[in-house]
Amino acid sequence: MRPRDPVLLSAHRCGAGGDKDLENTREALDRALGLGVDYVEFDVHRSSDGELLLHHDDWIQVDGRKRWVRESTLAQFQATRPHVLRYDEVLQILAGRARAHIDLKFSSPGGAHEIAAVARAVEVMGAENIVVTTLDDRSVRAVREWSDAEGLPVLAGLSLGRRVRGLPLRAAVRIRLSELFPRLRYRASLANVMVANHTLARYGVARFARRRGLPLLVWTIDTEKSLHYWLKPGRAWLVTTNHPDLALEVRDRRAARLRA
């Protein structure tokens, strides 16, 4: 990214905004595409019968109880969310219209399932039109090693900013320190894009990315004040937001001032 390039925008959870019922749905996806965003972000889980589907949380509600998505079949999931989007369907919709910001919510031994998911995205959309993010260090490394071996320019980033609420204090502190000082994790994971919660980005991760020449993806920017800050050219490469309409307006106003 050149310093004067506009910061790109990614519609979080397919652009659902604050409506949880619209998260990762076709209605939200169509709305985001209608706005003309650069990327559409969506969360990908793998069901117990090997199907890839869009859902944010790790669990679903079944008869008033939480059930892990990974332990549910596609049919069981569809019984609770009949309008669920499947991964391949979304790739086909996005191809040629917007780029895909794929947030993987699953992991597997050796990263086999993650690699298969990314390979399918490359097949449908092209390697240059996707960015892959995940909280799992080993998943990032598996995808990067595969893409390097295939000679593909896939961007894969280790997402910093996982929730630590409820964890033992020592574990929570260890995780936060590894995110505030991510050199060892990024080196081990081979990540080639920096991905961080906006607070961590302000507390030094953005500086880390600049020093190492890594593109910076910041999530999730929703207030107009924060959008003005992060949409300044050169400050980030890609910003994820729940309010792509507002973000596009802020970016357009900034561009107009620069042209004036």
Side-chain angles (χ1 to χ4, degrees):
M1 182 184 72
R2 297 184 301 273
R4 303 304 292 180
D5 284 343
V7 178
L8 301 179
L9 290 169
S10 176
H12 191 227
R13 303 184 191 181
C14 285
D19 191 339
K20 192 171 180 63
D21 290 335
L22 287 180
E23 288 180 1
N24 295 301
T25 63
R26 180 62 188 268
E27 182 179 348
L29 177 59
D30 287 343
R31 181 188 300 173
L33 289 172
L35 288 171
V37 295
D38 305 296
Y39 281 80
V40 174
E41 188 266 356
F42 51 93
D43 308 290
V44 184
H45 277 278
R46 189 174 186 273
S47 67
S48 64
D49 51 349
E51 297 291 338
L52 298 182
L53 52 91
L54 270 60
H55 188 63
H56 180 266
D57 296 336
D58 294 331
W59 46 269
I60 53 175
Q61 286 280 356
V62 180
D63 298 326
R65 295 183 177 182
K66 290 183 179 180
R67 183 187 184 104
W68 295 110
V69 175
R70 64 176 180 269
E71 296 176 356
S72 307
T73 66
L74 177 62
Q76 289 169 332
F77 189 93
Q78 287 175 319
T80 66
R81 291 184 69 88
H83 302 298
V84 60
L85 282 171
R86 298 173 71 171
Y87 179 64
D88 205 67
E89 178 185 3
V90 174
L91 297 178
Q92 298 286 351
I93 293 169
L94 288 176
R97 301 180 68 188
R99 284 167 274 186
H101 173 183
I102 305 166
D103 194 28
L104 297 178
K105 299 291 189 179
F106 62 91
S107 60
S108 61
H113 297 320
E114 298 93 297
I115 291 170
V118 176
R120 180 57 179 157
V122 169
E123 180 183 358
V124 175
M125 300 191 62
E128 69 281 3
N129 292 315
I130 65 172
V131 58
V132 181
T133 60
T134 174
L135 292 168
D136 192 284
D137 303 48
R138 290 169 296 183
S139 295
V140 178
R141 187 179 182 95
V143 170
R144 287 284 293 115
E145 288 179 335
W146 168 80
S147 61
D148 279 354
E150 296 292 323
L152 296 169
V154 173
L155 289 174
L158 175 64
S159 193
L160 305 176
R162 69 167 64 231
R163 291 185 179 181
V164 296
R165 184 179 300 173
L167 293 178
L169 179 60
R170 182 174 296 180
V173 170
R174 184 174 66 250
I175 289 170
R176 278 293 177 261
L177 287 176
S178 77
E179 293 173 334
L180 286 166
F181 305 98
R183 180 176 61 85
L184 293 179
R185 290 183 66 190
Y186 257 73
R187 178 184 293 176
S189 70
L190 303 178
N192 58 356
V193 57
M194 200 84 204
V195 186
N197 168 274
H198 61 94
T199 303
L200 287 173
R202 291 231 195 188
Y203 275 109
V205 174
R207 184 168 60 253
F208 176 92
R210 285 194 298 271
R211 287 176 177 173
R212 285 156 180 80
L214 291 170
L216 175 64
L217 191 167
V218 184
W219 55 273
T220 302
I221 312 301
D222 287 339
T223 69
E224 186 166 355
K225 182 178 180 180
S226 291
L227 285 166
H228 275 290
Y229 178 85
W230 284 112
L231 290 177
K232 181 179 180 180
R235 194 154 274 166
W237 161 65
L238 178 65
V239 161
T240 301
T241 178
N242 284 307
H243 303 294
D245 48 352
L246 175 60
L248 286 165
E249 180 184 334
V250 170
R251 189 174 70 175
D252 289 346
R253 291 203 306 263
R254 177 179 288 279
R257 287 199 302 270
L258 290 175
R259 290 193 299 268

